Amino acid sequence: MTDQAHQASATESGTPEIPGKPTSASRTTLSHIMTHSDTNLLGTVHGGVIMKLVDDAAGAVAGRHSGGPAVTASMDEMAFLEPVRVGDLVHVKAQVNWTGRTSMEVGVRVLAERWNESTPATQVGSAYLVFAAVDADGKPRQLPPVLPETERDKRRYQEAQIRRTHRLARRRAIKDLRRQRAAEGFED
């Protein structure tokens, strides 16, 4: 949705219009050197450590974009592409891909490089998280629309819309199935 379309939609729904923010306004990179305390039983960095870094970076981006508190609503997908080792310098790059009225998708890329070598960083993971902007009482609050700047940003925006459609359809299908099973007398 373009900024003008979002503003027209906001005006029609009676909510005040919030000016959009470009993708670059909240994009961030968090970097961390992995140590022995980050390892699992196999001697590589524990996936949960990487997931925390992903959530931290995504949360910073969500807070920046929304101009206040934002909470993790879901982690749509977390792909681990390569193991991360002790001594790797991990870079977690995050940006807002898409915004709705009160929620946003944040895309995250995880890269790793040896801390003591000059080789290029390798992508070791990726994730998509959904955040909800909340007020001081934890109630949803309106977000500014994200304004994609580059062709890559526009592609990410479109892909995020597809993921949102699938998330909502999956949620509806599960709720329908549970209602059906309850109506048939099955207790879960």
Side-chain angles (χ1 to χ4, degrees):
M1 179 181 287
T2 66
D3 190 35
Q4 292 96 358
H6 191 281
Q7 289 175 354
S9 171
T11 304
E12 291 167 11
S13 67
T15 55
E17 59 184 65
I18 297 176
K21 290 184 179 179
T23 307
S24 62
S26 57
R27 189 178 287 141
T28 194
T29 300
L30 179 136
S31 297
H32 190 80
I33 294 178
M34 299 292 104
T35 66
H36 286 285
S37 65
D38 299 318
T39 60
N40 59 26
L41 296 174
L42 298 174
T44 57
V45 173
H46 195 288
V49 170
I50 301 299
M51 289 174 77
K52 172 141 180 23
L53 293 173
V54 164
D55 192 43
D56 287 347
V61 166
R64 277 182 176 179
H65 183 82
S66 69
V71 295
T72 310
S74 70
M75 181 176 276
D76 212 28
E77 180 179 318
M78 177 77 215
F80 297 99
L81 306 173
E82 297 284 335
V84 177
R85 303 171 294 161
V86 169
D88 281 353
L89 177 57
V90 172
H91 307 286
V92 183
K93 298 175 176 278
Q95 75 171 48
V96 174
N97 289 337
W98 174 89
T99 53
R101 196 177 71 73
T102 62
S103 65
M104 68 194 104
E105 181 191 274
V106 178
V108 182
R109 288 180 56 219
V110 183
L111 301 126
E113 62 181 305
R114 295 305 293 167
W115 69 274
N116 60 349
E117 296 175 8
S118 60
T119 56
T122 303
Q123 185 171 352
V124 295
S126 65
Y128 299 104
L129 296 88
V130 177
F131 279 79
V134 295
D135 62 18
D137 298 322
K139 303 286 187 219
R141 63 184 174 82
Q142 190 175 352
L143 283 169
V146 67
L147 306 175
E149 298 171 281
T150 67
E151 286 305 313
R152 179 180 279 177
D153 293 341
K154 290 173 187 171
R155 175 186 53 80
R156 288 178 177 165
Y157 185 93
Q158 291 170 329
E159 289 174 357
Q161 287 178 305
I162 293 167
R163 282 187 292 275
R164 179 176 187 272
T165 299
H166 286 257
R167 271 193 305 274
L168 294 175
R170 183 178 60 233
R171 185 178 301 145
R172 270 192 307 275
I174 289 169
K175 285 182 178 181
D176 289 347
L177 177 63
R178 288 180 180 175
R179 274 193 294 275
Q180 177 187 345
R181 289 182 54 80
E184 293 171 357
F186 294 104
E187 291 185 33
D188 288 334

